[in-house]
Amino acid sequence: MPKRKVQRQDAVPKSEPQREAEQAAPAEVPANEAVQAAQAEVPANEAVQAAQAEVPASKEAVQAEEGAAKQPEAPAEPLDPEALLEVRHLKKYFPAQKNFFGKPKTWLRAVDDVSFKIKTGTTLGIVGESGCGKTTLGRTILRLQPATGGEVYFDGKDINKLKNAEMNALRPQMQIIFQDPYSSLSPRMPVGEIIGEAVAQHKLVPRSDLKNYVLDIMRRCGLPYHYYERYPHEFSGGQRQRICIATALALQPRFVVCDEPVSALDVSIQAQIINLLKDMQDSMHLTYIFISHDLSVVEHISDRVGVMYLGSLVEYADTDEIFRNPMHPYTEALFSAVPVPDPDAHSHRIILSGDIPSPVNAPSGCKFHTRCNRCMEICSQVAPKFKDYGNGHMVACHLYSQE
Amino acid sequence: MLFKNKKTTSSDGAQPAKTKAPIADAHYLSVRESRAIAKSNARVIRALEKRKKRTHVSESEYLCEMQDPNNIVEFDDLRTYFFTDAGVSKAVDGVTFSIPRGATVGVVGESGCGKSVTSLSLMQLVQAPQGQIVGGSIRFNMGNKAYDIAKMPISEMRKIRGKQIAMIFQEPMTSLNPVFRIGYQLDEMVLLHTPGCTKEQAKARSLQMLELVGIAAPERVYRCYPHELSGGMRQRVMIAIALSCDPRLIIADEPTTALDVTIQAQVLDLLREIKGKIDGSIMLITHDLGVIAEMADYVVVMYAGRVIESGTTAEIFHNPLHPYTVGLQKSKPVVNRKVERLYNIPGQVPNPIDMPDYCYFKDRCTRCTARCEGEYPHFIQVSPTHRVACYLYAGEDGKGGPDA
Ligand SMILES: Nc1ncnc2c1ncn2[C@@H]1O[C@H](COP(=O)(O)OP(=O)(O)OP(=O)(O)O)[C@@H](O)[C@H]1O
Ligand SMILES: Nc1ncnc2c1ncn2[C@@H]1O[C@H](COP(=O)(O)OP(=O)(O)O)[C@@H](O)[C@H]1O
Ligand code: SF4
Ligand code: SF4
Ligand SMILES: [Mg+2]
Ligand SMILES: [Mg+2]
């Protein structure tokens, strides 16, 4: 009987990363991933992947180690001095199927050749259907998991080539806020300690000033100071998200990835959190990547917007420009699908047929051709170039000149 | 009224502890207090459960008259409470609205305001034993007669569930059985509710339903297990199961919340198309005002277990009256409508265990006046279809017509 019970427990589906993390560090998996990112010597995921010798990502990691021993090489093309973050040809593949020897036979291309740059103090919005690689993109940029290829330049340095110690020193400057405010906070620590933990770790302020420092950041994030001694379970979703934001911002980051930070919240709470994020951006001069599947939220908060489909950017432009003049058929369909809270608005809706294909064997040519209502013969054969059609409006589609 | 009796008799034993120290925060209850609450809860629950579980109840006990024969459902002062160890949580506390024949009624409100509990009460599926309908009625139009679902015993309710009222949930995986093939689950539903139906007839009907919901290869999907389908496909199957017995009413509880916008557009399109084909009404629960605007004929806005405003979709969107409805609309960003800063409703929803005796929205309301100190506001009828519970629109006596 007891044996059965154990089996049943195992049968409970666990997410892949969760399982990985458990195998790597059975005893000590800090619930707060933001803290973990900031303090852990090697993030749990990375440790596991490095242990699986076949994964090319780990080879990359090894190369990165070696490369880091020398001076990081200067990039081929000069960097934009106004951009805090520049991503070039970033790739992240996961092994999808293993052959008899445990070597991967096919790859899941979660992020496939993504390039963009973000100016200091601005927000890049990333939109797309679930599974298109938004979260993976955010995590790979922060090196919470090693990239399969490509470069991420933060403040002029390619972070994939940094040594672990150097990377750890850089961690406080790059933070992430997650979608689920329930699972990302440690239940056994009072709020003050959660927020202060990583601050103490990185010795950002003298020990004697720590409490005042934490109280100050709490006040700025709209958390009354008597919350200091209370535990996360006593708070609502919106308040927990404030705690997560305070935890991330306490480290005085320059760059924050917000991965669907309001998707789990009610409309009225969403507005509070969005306003808070905007206020903090103004006062701390932060640079954001804001990931969401809610287009109205992305339009509100972003300066530039990137639309992702099956691991690649298909369109990338200034917010006003992309909403006024969406060029890619997928962007058009995505925008037209948003229900408008006005009973008289009779929008012409483009209904996409079918579901998003599996990223394991993405369609040939243009990855969108299986669902595109304007698909041409060439689309299934040749992948369109991701080209600038003026004012930094980038599109990958054969409808527009490929010259 | 059964509950009220119980409450008065139990109040001398269990209530004093509560009245001495009113619960400000559900987390801070002494052991003695919560034990006393548990004891009085158990007594109430036992009586209510016994009543529901009776067999051989004569029909006359739950037979009733519709106020308007054109309505499919009339909720009348419905009260559904949860008897928890922290106290009685009034999840639905006096909800009144009706669903006209052939119409789509949208129910909106923040998480926890009682939308799902209202719909579960209609199905008698509220989580028992702690969740109980304690008052009011739910009149359901059966065509030639009407039943009060709030008073029906479980045995009778089974005949209505699925056959007359069908439900589509947010997460289709929770209602599809993972170990049976789609075809089996569809056939099962048809066989259960169609007396004298053969296996072949059931299968034919199932395939026809799968085709109706726009599944391209019904024969293949018929043989699939639920996990082999994508989220959008599963939701289509759920809709097919719901439609298989020609229900008079379909309850759709957040049918598209778990889906991507592009898939949501497909499913909403399907629901709209189907409504034209069947002769039924839809109760659509969602927190997305966009979905409501697009789908509903009438809108019911709920707040903290009560209806605070209801009207036609045009009335609610073009002339929202209640400060909460206005705030809700202002706090949602809209594509192609730029605002510098989003409006946010200050404060939080009151604790359902310890509701105030004045307007529940008062502590968050920016338009509150001296009159709002009074009892919870009555409904003000501002048009034949539009009503609102707010003192801003009340006459001198707190009832009368609009003067604002
Ligand atoms: N089984 C239960 N036991 C105790 N309380 C419950 C139970 N189910 C619901 N409640 C309470 O009833 C109230 C209304 O819940 P309900 O599920 O109807 O909300 P809702 O409006 O559907 O919200 P959402 O948008 O999150 O689905 C909430 O305060 C909730 O905590
Ligand atoms: N650790 C992992 N192992 C294997 N596959 C993964 C892992 N993380 C993500 N994926 C896959 O990568 C793709 C992109 O996922 P994700 O970035 O989470 O999408 P999004 O955030 O856009 O919903 C999905 O197909 C997902 O299943
Ligand atoms: S390249 Fe062809 S298939 Fe792809 S989006 Fe453009 S028109 Fe459609
Ligand atoms: S009754 Fe008063 S407090 Fe309540 S919503 Fe109306 S104005 Fe605000
Ligand atoms: Mg994600
Ligand atoms: Mg609900």
Side-chain angles (χ1 to χ4, degrees):
Chain A
M1 285 308 279
K3 206 170 182 189
R4 267 195 88 107
K5 218 169 172 185
V6 169
Q7 275 174 351
R8 274 189 68 92
Q9 267 187 350
D10 278 347
V12 175
K14 269 186 188 146
S15 71
E16 200 53 46
Q18 196 181 341
R19 222 179 291 153
E20 277 183 4
E22 276 177 22
Q23 285 167 0
E28 287 185 320
V29 187
N32 186 334
E33 269 189 87
V35 173
Q36 174 190 348
Q39 66 192 27
E41 293 290 297
V42 183
N45 277 350
E46 223 172 311
V48 173
Q49 295 196 342
Q52 298 168 344
E54 298 80 23
V55 183
S58 68
K59 272 187 215 147
E60 283 285 329
V62 173
Q63 279 167 11
E65 300 287 285
E66 288 166 355
K70 304 157 206 155
Q71 272 308 304
E73 304 143 37
E77 231 180 283
L79 292 167
D80 183 344
E82 282 182 50
L84 177 67
L85 186 89
E86 197 162 335
V87 174
R88 287 188 184 169
H89 308 291
L90 189 66
K91 297 187 186 76
K92 175 68 195 176
Y93 297 173
F94 294 106
Q97 238 183 345
K98 302 223 170 113
N99 68 7
F100 183 71
F101 303 102
K103 292 207 169 136
K105 228 165 41 176
T106 49
W107 296 98
L108 188 158
R109 299 167 180 233
V111 172
D112 200 9
D113 202 353
V114 169
S115 307
F116 59 78
K117 53 191 168 194
I118 314 174
K119 276 200 190 129
T120 312
T122 64
T123 302
L124 169 68
I126 300 279
V127 292
E129 286 168 274
S130 75
C132 73
K134 306 184 293 295
T135 300
T136 309
L137 175 65
R139 293 179 58 96
T140 315
I141 288 173
L142 295 186
R143 219 179 111 180
L144 295 177
Q145 51 196 19
T148 310
E151 300 103 52
V152 177
Y153 296 100
F154 178 77
D155 206 11
K157 287 184 290 266
D158 183 351
I159 64 160
N160 286 333
K161 297 219 173 83
L162 294 182
K163 268 190 277 192
N164 276 334
E166 288 173 310
M167 190 60 216
N168 279 332
L170 201 61
R171 286 258 178 243
Q173 299 189 26
M174 309 175 83
Q175 289 294 307
I176 185 164
I177 296 163
F178 293 96
Q179 168 172 7
D180 185 6
Y182 291 89
S183 59
S184 47
L185 288 173
S186 159
R188 276 177 295 276
M189 270 200 262
V191 171
E193 238 172 80
I194 292 178
I195 299 173
E197 195 189 27
V199 178
Q201 195 112 27
H202 288 279
K203 303 195 177 69
L204 287 179
V205 291
R207 262 230 107 75
S208 54
D209 292 351
L210 185 62
K211 183 163 181 184
N212 282 333
Y213 179 80
V214 169
L215 286 173
D216 181 56
I217 199 86
M218 283 172 65
R219 182 185 54 77
R220 293 169 69 185
C221 292
L223 295 164
Y225 63 88
H226 64 263
Y227 284 12
Y228 191 89
E229 304 283 344
R230 292 172 67 179
Y231 289 84
H233 71 86
E234 298 175 35
F235 298 106
S236 68
Q239 286 167 322
R240 285 178 205 220
Q241 200 55 290
R242 280 179 196 272
I243 298 171
C244 294
I245 293 173
T247 310
L249 298 191
L251 294 168
Q252 302 174 357
R254 297 163 70 194
F255 170 68
V256 182
V257 173
C258 310
D259 188 4
E260 313 235 13
V262 296
S263 301
L265 306 174
D266 259 320
V267 187
S268 68
I269 315 292
Q270 273 189 10
Q272 294 173 10
I273 298 297
I274 291 169
N275 286 341
L276 172 65
L277 284 170
K278 275 198 122 174
D279 292 346
M280 296 311 271
Q281 176 166 45
D282 291 342
S283 67
M284 297 175 72
H285 205 56
L286 295 168
T287 305
Y288 287 147
I289 284 187
F290 192 96
I291 298 172
S292 178
H293 61 259
D294 188 332
L295 289 161
S296 57
V297 171
V298 165
E299 185 193 21
H300 179 78
I301 202 163
S302 313
D303 300 293
R304 267 175 93 75
V305 174
V307 180
M308 261 181 109
Y309 190 75
L310 282 178
S312 307
L313 282 180
V314 295
E315 187 160 0
Y316 173 53
D318 286 342
T319 308
D320 292 340
E321 166 73 13
I322 204 169
F323 277 88
R324 215 184 43 238
N325 175 29
M327 286 170 76
H328 197 280
Y330 177 65
T331 314
E332 254 184 297
L334 199 64
F335 287 9
S336 83
V338 180
V340 183
D342 177 357
D344 301 334
H346 292 293
S347 54
H348 69 297
R349 172 153 300 168
I350 305 162
I351 305 252
L352 289 180
S353 54
D355 298 317
I356 190 167
S358 153
V360 178
N361 33 34
S364 60
C366 168
K367 290 182 193 167
F368 185 56
H369 85 258
T370 52
R371 297 167 85 197
C372 180
N373 57 1
R374 298 167 75 178
C375 175
M376 299 166 291
E377 220 181 292
I378 187 172
C379 300
S380 58
Q381 296 151 12
V382 182
K385 292 188 190 118
F386 193 49
K387 272 185 50 130
D388 189 338
Y389 291 91
N391 293 329
H393 192 150
M394 315 261 305
V395 185
C397 173
H398 284 299
L399 289 174
Y400 308 100
S401 154
Q402 294 291 302
E403 296 312 310
Chain B
M1 78 238 117
L2 172 78
F3 169 68
K4 277 191 188 130
N5 286 341
K6 278 287 155 194
K7 197 177 172 189
T8 37
T9 47
S10 70
S11 65
D12 27 65
Q15 298 297 331
K18 248 182 90 180
T19 38
K20 238 185 272 166
I23 320 169
D25 190 328
H27 294 292
Y28 301 127
L29 268 186
S30 74
V31 176
R32 255 187 62 209
E33 279 170 325
S34 67
R35 209 176 289 147
I37 293 171
K39 217 169 127 194
S40 88
N41 281 350
R43 215 173 319 156
V44 181
I45 291 170
R46 220 176 303 128
L48 287 164
E49 280 291 300
K50 212 163 125 195
R51 200 189 153 98
K52 270 200 301 193
K53 290 207 176 115
R54 288 177 303 162
T55 46
H56 312 298
V57 181
S58 89
E59 199 186 30
S60 63
E61 254 191 56
Y62 51 87
L63 210 56
C64 65
E65 283 281 331
M66 299 301 286
Q67 252 169 20
D68 180 347
N70 272 327
N71 286 339
I72 286 288
V73 177
E74 290 169 356
F75 291 96
D76 192 347
D77 199 31
L78 175 69
R79 285 161 204 275
T80 304
Y81 295 175
F82 287 95
F83 295 87
T84 71
D85 287 354
V88 179
S89 164
K90 299 179 176 177
V92 168
D93 197 18
V95 159
T96 305
F97 70 95
S98 45
I99 303 175
R101 191 191 304 265
T104 301
V105 175
V107 182
V108 268
E110 276 173 86
S111 180
C113 71
K115 306 183 295 287
S116 299
V117 173
T118 304
S119 65
L120 291 173
S121 304
L122 176 55
M123 296 279 272
Q124 272 205 16
L125 284 177
V126 184
Q127 197 184 43
Q130 69 268 41
Q132 298 287 345
I133 300 178
V134 298
S137 41
I138 307 171
R139 291 186 287 271
F140 183 67
N141 195 339
M142 308 273 292
N144 45 3
K145 55 191 170 187
Y147 285 160
D148 183 352
I149 288 178
K151 298 198 177 65
M152 277 173 84
I154 293 173
S155 53
E156 287 302 308
M157 191 60 214
R158 287 213 183 95
K159 296 176 192 158
I160 293 186
R161 228 184 266 153
K163 168 77 186 142
Q164 307 261 0
I165 311 173
M167 196 149 183
I168 305 166
F169 294 94
Q170 172 172 352
E171 186 29 77
M173 247 355 220
T174 55
S175 30
L176 286 173
N177 191 328
V179 301
F180 294 119
R181 291 178 199 272
I182 299 294
Y184 176 85
Q185 302 192 43
L186 263 162
D187 291 356
E188 188 79 332
M189 194 69 184
V190 178
L191 289 169
L192 185 69
H193 291 292
T194 327
C197 175
T198 66
K199 279 230 161 100
E200 286 70 37
Q201 284 168 331
K203 177 167 181 187
R205 174 88 182 152
S206 302
L207 290 174
Q208 186 196 345
M209 283 299 133
L210 288 175
E211 222 175 295
L212 179 70
V213 297
I215 285 176
E219 283 279 359
R220 188 181 64 83
V221 171
Y222 185 85
R223 286 190 307 270
C224 281
Y225 287 97
H227 68 88
E228 297 174 75
L229 305 176
S230 69
M233 293 271 267
R234 278 185 218 139
Q235 204 52 292
R236 279 171 197 270
V237 168
M238 272 307 298
I239 296 173
I241 293 178
L243 290 175
S244 61
C245 298
D246 289 326
R248 292 163 172 278
L249 175 70
I250 299 172
I251 302 171
D253 191 347
E254 311 259 9
T256 56
T257 308
L259 306 175
D260 276 311
V261 267
T262 53
I263 312 296
Q264 163 170 292
Q266 293 173 4
V267 172
L268 292 182
D269 209 44
L270 170 67
L271 275 176
R272 211 174 311 133
E273 194 182 302
I274 272 166
K275 214 188 99 197
K277 287 186 195 163
I278 61 160
D279 176 33
S281 314
I282 300 179
M283 174 174 169
L284 177 66
I285 298 175
T286 172
H287 61 258
D288 188 335
L289 293 167
V291 171
I292 291 275
E294 202 164 285
M295 301 289 295
D297 305 307
Y298 299 92
V299 182
V300 173
V301 186
M302 287 185 69
Y303 183 76
R306 293 222 190 193
V307 177
I308 49 115
E309 184 168 3
S310 66
T312 64
T313 308
E315 282 167 339
I316 298 294
F317 281 93
H318 296 322
N319 184 26
L321 296 176
H322 198 284
Y324 176 69
T325 317
V326 176
L328 206 57
Q329 289 184 14
K330 271 200 295 187
S331 55
K332 174 95 183 104
V334 177
V335 170
N336 284 328
R337 212 179 289 165
K338 259 214 135 32
V339 286
E340 210 22 66
R341 199 179 163 79
L342 293 176
Y343 176 76
N344 64 39
I345 306 172
Q348 279 171 24
V349 187
N351 182 349
I353 291 175
D354 193 27
M355 287 295 191
D357 45 15
Y358 45 84
C359 170
Y360 294 173
F361 192 59
K362 186 178 149 260
D363 298 338
R364 306 174 71 185
C365 186
T366 47
R367 298 184 62 193
C368 121
T369 61
R371 299 167 79 188
C372 306
E373 305 284 343
E375 59 171 344
Y376 190 92
H378 291 276
F379 264 120
I380 316 294
Q381 202 79 38
V382 280
S383 90
T385 44
H386 195 177
R387 42 179 205 144
V388 58
C390 170
Y391 278 114
L392 291 175
Y393 307 95
E396 288 301 310
D397 53 353
K399 290 181 180 137
D403 63 4

